[in-house]
């Protein structure tokens, strides 16, 4: 419960500060009272907030797994029927497949396109490097609505909207700069002497990438790929604007259902929303596992 | 180390594979979008009509106040809650990691699940209202969903999680010996906080506050799912989507987006003006 070190408590009588300064508060009764009040109110704040967070999460999970739940403290029975119903009624499997296709393709394309840039950024200094880095930061710092609306209007006029290609392409807007920033530290930490050696032995640029650079950053690429994947899985605004009825990602589909269905039982809607959690939890654990694995391998 | 593998000018062509798609998919739409706001649908003549419409029609200009009225109080409250929690658990407090983890946990759930969770917990027959009625605090259920308060609560949960996730690291990066020095010299907890800790973390806290505020000005799914998007939580993004997807008026939709962007910039400018009047820098140097 105590945040302080015991040393502090021993220093109760310090003649140095007395004198013209005011008396230290912490010896007085008032000081102790204030300290106690601060501790109590902090605990009240923490408990209140965590109760609400955990209560909310529990409530939505119980509701998704509960049979009948109206006005009682707990549901009357538990079932997975809502999940089965929701998955069948809204073809969750189908949308999950579409989402995976879009996100996987976009992840691979972003990594391939950003790798040469990352290499130049890591190895070379040039006049506008900082400006270029700033530019790469813009797509994920600017509000996405600012480019999403014109992109949607352009895509509708050239017929790319509501197609798989279109959905993959819009994911690159955030995917490329994001993967530049994630890969950069990995490439910067490579030893350039290996590259000099390879080149002095007559390796071409392509061979250099293929045989020297890429094998060294495989752990980095894996970790980045998972992060980019999670990021793209959550892309929302722009997909919502250009998605068609059959080409939607999972979270856009769930959002559209939640937005427009007052007649469905809430338990079914809750189970549909919770479906979104499963792939994300899976990939978060995968990312944690990969990063700890690579750290062990690299001996950090 | 004066030898370089990539020395020639031609090597800068390697920047192109990532720059070209971004120029095409990001810069061009951004510029086109800006021009679009000065045009009417279906014509290319330049006009201020969209902006005039925005600032004279209550249907549009109301969204500025509605968004700020929802987001600004929420952001300030979030800052206090998150700061209170993370300040209390900083250092080597037992269980601090668990508390931090649970506070940040809503971020992993994402906005849609949090919205549904707020509905499940705060609806008239949910745990919150049943508990309050059983304890005799309320006589009848308090309507906390599908209105201003529903969106407010959902924003608070996500905002506290976001701010806390940033503050935890920042608090740990402040050298604890600075505080210890102040305490051994006789400063009380409050004085140590006010004179040592707060000045060191102030600029970072304000940055996180500004980031969170900007993110929440763009609130959409929360405003639609737990709020009342027809009136009380009619935020910028709700109106922009309505124009783009229901009326297919991309010009007006982008005008709304531009006004939103300008509002965010103004907020950023205000917070950074406050931030500039104090110490800006690192406090972890002499560890």
């Amino acid at each position: 419960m105590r945040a302080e070190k015991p040393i502090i408590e021993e220093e109760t009588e310090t003649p140095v500060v007395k004198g013209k300064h005011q008396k230290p508060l912490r010896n007085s009764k008032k000081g102790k009272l204030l300290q106690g009040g601060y501790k109590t109110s902090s605990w009240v704040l923490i408990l209140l907030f965590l109760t609400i967070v955990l209560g909310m999460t529990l409530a939505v999970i119980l509701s998704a797994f509960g049979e009948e739940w109206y006005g009682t403290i707990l549901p009357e029975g538990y079932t997975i029927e809502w999940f089965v119903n929701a998955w069948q009624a809204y073809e969750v499997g189908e949308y999950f497949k579409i989402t995976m296709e879009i996100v996987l393709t976009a992840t691979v394309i972003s990594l391939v396109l950003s790798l040469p840039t990352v290499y130049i950024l890591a190895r070379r200094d040039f006049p506008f490097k900082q400006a270029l880095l700033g530019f790469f930061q813009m797509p994920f710092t600017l509000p996405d609505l600012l480019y999403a609306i014109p992109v949607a209007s352009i895509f509708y006029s050239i017929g790319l909207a509501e197609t798989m290609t279109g959905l993959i392409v819009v994911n690159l807007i955030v995917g490329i700069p994001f993967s530049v920033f994630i890969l950069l530290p990995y490439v910067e930490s490579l030893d350039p002497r290996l590259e000099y050696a390879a080149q002095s032995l007559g390796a071409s640029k392509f061979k250099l990438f293929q045989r020297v650079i890429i094998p060294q950053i495989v752990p980095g690429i894996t970790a980045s790929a998972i992060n980019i994947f999670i990021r793209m899985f959550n892309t929302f605004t722009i997909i919502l604007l250009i998605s068609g009825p059959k080409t939607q990602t999972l979270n856009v589909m769930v959002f559209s259902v939640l937005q427009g269905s007052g007649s469905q039982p809430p338990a079914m809607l809750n189970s549909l929303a919770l479906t979104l959690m499963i792939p994300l939890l899976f990939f978060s654990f995968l990312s944690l596992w990969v990063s700890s694995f690579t750290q062990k391998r690299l001996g950090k | 180390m004066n030898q370089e593998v990539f020395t020639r000018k031609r090597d800068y062509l390697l920047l192109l594979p990532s720059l070209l798609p971004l120029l095409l998919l990001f810069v061009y739409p951004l510029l086109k979008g800006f021009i679009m706001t000065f045009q009417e649908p279906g014509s290319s003549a330049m006009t201020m009509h969209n902006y005039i419409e925005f600032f004279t029609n209550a249907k549009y200009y109301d969204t500025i106040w509605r968004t700020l009225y929802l987001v600004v109080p929420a952001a300030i409250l979030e800052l206090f809650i998150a700061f209170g929690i993370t300040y209390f658990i900083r250092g080597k407090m037992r269980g601090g990691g668990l508390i931090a983890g649970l506070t940040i946990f809503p971020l992993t759930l994402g906005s849609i699940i949090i919205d549904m969770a707020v509905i499940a917990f705060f609806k008239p027959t949910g745990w919150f209202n049943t508990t309050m009625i059983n304890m005799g605090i309320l006589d009848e259920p308090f309507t906390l969903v599908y209105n201003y308060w529903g969106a407010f609560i959902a924003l608070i949960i996500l905002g506290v999680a976001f701010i806390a996730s940033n503050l935890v690291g920042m608090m740990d990066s402040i050298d604890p010996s600075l505080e210890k020095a102040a305490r051994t010299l006789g400063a009380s907890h409050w004085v140590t906080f006010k004179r040592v800790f707060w000045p060191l973390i102030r600029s970072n806290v304000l940055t996180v506050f500004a980031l969170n505020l900007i993110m929440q000005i763009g609130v959409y799914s929360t405003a639609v799912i737990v709020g009342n998007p027809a009136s009380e939580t009619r935020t910028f993004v709700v109106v922009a989507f309505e124009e783009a997807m229901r009326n297919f008026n991309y010009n007006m939709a982008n005008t709304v987006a531009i006004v939103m962007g300008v509002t965010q910039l103004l907020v950023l400018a205000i917070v950074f003006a406050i931030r500039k009047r104090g110490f800006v820098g690192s406090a972890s140097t002499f560890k």
Side-chain angles (χ1 to χ4, degrees):
Chain A
M1 283 255 257
R2 302 206 82 95
E4 287 77 36
K5 294 276 153 58
I7 313 163
I8 298 156
E9 303 305 319
E10 288 165 18
E11 303 271 345
T12 37
E13 294 296 324
T14 35
V16 193
V17 266
K18 285 185 181 172
K20 56 186 168 181
H21 289 282
Q22 66 185 68
K23 198 168 169 254
L25 252 181
R26 72 194 136 95
N27 289 336
S28 62
K29 243 192 184 140
K30 200 178 147 208
K32 286 234 167 70
L33 213 67
L34 278 176
Q35 190 61 19
Y38 164 68
K39 279 215 165 118
T40 323
S41 53
S42 291
W43 275 111
V44 168
L45 178 71
I46 289 174
L47 289 179
L48 205 65
F49 187 74
L50 292 189
T51 312
I52 291 180
V53 167
L54 293 178
M56 275 170 40
T57 318
L58 207 61
V60 74
I61 292 174
L62 282 183
S63 150
F65 284 105
E67 270 169 7
E68 276 285 310
W69 193 9
Y70 194 83
T72 49
I73 293 296
L74 288 173
E76 280 157 24
Y78 298 95
T79 167
I80 58 161
E81 213 172 290
W82 296 120
F83 276 91
V84 177
N85 282 348
W87 288 356
Q88 275 168 357
Y90 297 110
E91 297 172 29
V92 167
E94 186 60 26
Y95 286 111
F96 187 66
K97 213 183 92 202
I98 295 176
T99 314
M100 290 299 274
E101 274 173 33
I102 293 171
V103 174
L104 272 180
T105 322
T107 306
V108 173
I109 297 178
S110 330
L111 280 174
V112 169
L113 290 183
S114 61
L115 201 53
T117 306
V118 171
Y119 185 77
I120 292 287
L121 284 174
R123 282 284 177 269
R124 292 287 289 274
D125 263 325
F126 47 91
F128 297 107
K129 189 172 165 185
Q130 284 310 317
L132 192 66
L133 282 174
F135 170 71
F136 277 123
Q137 235 165 7
M138 272 168 73
F140 49 90
T141 45
L142 276 185
D144 44 6
L145 202 63
L146 280 179
Y147 60 83
I149 291 172
V151 165
S153 101
I154 294 168
F155 274 31
Y156 268 106
S157 63
I158 60 174
L160 262 179
E162 305 189 13
T163 63
M164 289 293 277
T165 326
L167 291 186
I168 292 170
V169 168
V170 293
N171 266 316
L172 299 180
I173 302 176
V174 167
I176 292 176
F178 195 65
S179 81
V180 166
F181 274 95
I182 293 193
L183 280 176
L184 198 54
Y186 288 103
V187 178
E188 273 173 345
S189 68
L190 296 183
D191 191 345
R193 282 173 299 183
L194 287 174
E195 290 147 35
Y196 305 147
Q199 210 198 21
S200 68
L201 293 170
S204 67
K205 295 252 163 73
F206 182 72
K207 269 262 153 57
L208 186 71
F209 265 106
Q210 189 203 354
R211 305 285 289 274
V212 179
I213 297 171
I214 297 198
Q216 287 186 82
I217 51 167
V218 164
I221 290 183
T222 326
S224 313
I226 295 168
N227 276 321
I228 300 166
F229 188 92
I230 294 175
R231 170 91 198 202
M232 284 183 181
F233 207 91
N234 286 319
T235 314
F236 180 75
T237 310
I238 192 158
I239 306 272
L240 183 60
L241 275 170
I242 68 157
S243 62
K246 277 286 142 196
T247 46
Q248 281 183 336
T249 57
L250 195 60
N251 56 1
V252 170
M253 185 275 286
V254 170
F255 173 77
S256 318
V257 171
L258 295 182
Q259 182 186 17
S261 59
S263 55
Q264 296 288 0
M268 188 152 153
L269 298 178
N270 284 337
S271 54
L272 193 62
L274 283 179
T275 307
L276 286 177
M277 226 172 102
I278 299 165
L280 283 180
L281 277 183
F282 173 70
F283 285 105
S284 309
F285 277 117
L286 193 66
S287 127
L288 282 180
W289 182 76
V290 166
S291 66
S292 73
F293 178 77
T294 49
Q295 271 178 4
K296 257 184 230 153
R297 276 285 297 274
L298 298 172
K300 273 180 190 164
Chain B
M1 295 275 248
N2 49 7
Q3 39 178 335
E4 286 276 350
V5 177
F6 286 77
T7 42
R8 275 168 298 173
K9 277 243 153 55
R10 217 181 51 187
D11 298 330
Y12 289 117
L13 288 178
L14 285 175
L15 291 175
L16 287 185
S18 65
L19 272 180
L20 275 185
L22 279 187
L23 288 178
L24 216 67
L25 290 168
F26 178 69
V27 178
Y28 169 64
L30 216 56
L31 296 177
K32 184 170 191 279
F34 187 67
I35 296 169
M36 261 164 62
T37 62
F38 295 102
Q39 293 167 337
E40 300 228 20
S43 84
S44 59
M46 299 297 265
T47 157
M48 288 296 284
H49 177 85
N50 287 318
Y51 288 98
I52 294 169
E53 178 77 12
F54 188 97
F55 288 106
T56 52
N57 192 339
K59 192 176 115 193
Y60 297 116
Y61 69 72
D62 253 10
T63 59
I64 302 178
W65 307 122
R66 288 211 164 113
T67 311
L68 294 180
Y69 183 62
L70 173 68
V71 168
V72 175
I76 293 171
L77 193 58
E78 282 152 22
L79 184 67
F80 278 105
I81 297 176
F83 193 88
I85 294 177
T86 47
Y87 181 73
F88 188 67
I89 62 169
R90 82 193 191 288
K92 289 200 176 97
M93 180 184 150
R94 184 181 290 184
L98 182 69
I99 294 173
L102 286 175
T103 311
I104 297 168
F105 162 72
L107 271 191
T108 52
L109 292 183
S111 149
I112 291 180
I113 297 178
I114 290 296
D115 298 339
M116 294 312 279
V118 167
I119 294 177
F121 190 72
F122 287 98
K123 68 184 176 188
T125 56
W127 278 343
F128 178 78
N129 275 312
T130 5
T131 318
M132 285 297 167
I133 290 170
N134 288 343
M135 281 165 68
I137 298 172
L138 290 177
D139 286 336
E140 51 189 58
F142 203 60
T143 317
L144 284 168
V145 289
Y146 306 121
N147 60 9
Y148 177 85
W149 292 111
F152 192 81
I153 294 168
L155 283 182
I156 294 271
I157 303 286
L158 282 167
V160 168
F162 176 77
I163 298 181
S165 72
N166 285 291
L167 284 186
V168 167
M170 288 173 191
M171 299 229 175
D172 284 341
S173 77
I174 288 190
D175 194 342
S177 51
L178 294 175
E179 274 176 278
K180 256 183 245 161
R183 295 278 290 136
T184 40
L185 291 172
S188 68
H189 281 285
W190 168 242
V191 173
T192 312
F193 174 75
K194 196 179 74 175
R195 305 280 286 275
V196 179
F197 192 81
W198 175 243
L200 288 175
I201 204 164
R202 182 176 175 276
S203 73
N204 287 336
V205 168
L206 285 175
T207 312
V208 175
F209 174 73
L211 273 182
N212 181 50
L213 189 53
I214 285 180
M215 255 170 44
Q216 298 206 326
I217 286 176
V219 55
Y220 180 59
S221 56
T222 299
V224 172
I225 295 178
V226 264
N228 179 3
S231 68
E232 283 170 292
T233 61
R234 215 175 128 79
T235 61
F236 285 120
V237 190
V238 174
V239 178
F241 269 97
E242 198 180 281
E243 289 296 329
M245 297 185 10
R246 203 174 300 159
N247 306 341
F248 296 102
N249 186 346
Y250 288 105
N251 304 68
M252 195 63 212
N254 215 42
T255 311
V256 178
I258 295 265
V259 175
M260 181 183 92
V262 172
T263 314
Q264 288 171 321
L265 278 182
L266 282 180
V267 166
L268 198 68
I270 293 171
V271 176
F272 275 73
I274 299 170
R275 178 176 174 262
K276 237 170 62 183
R277 299 164 58 188
F279 171 75
V280 179
S282 166
S284 57
T285 39
F286 40 100
K287 218 168 199 175

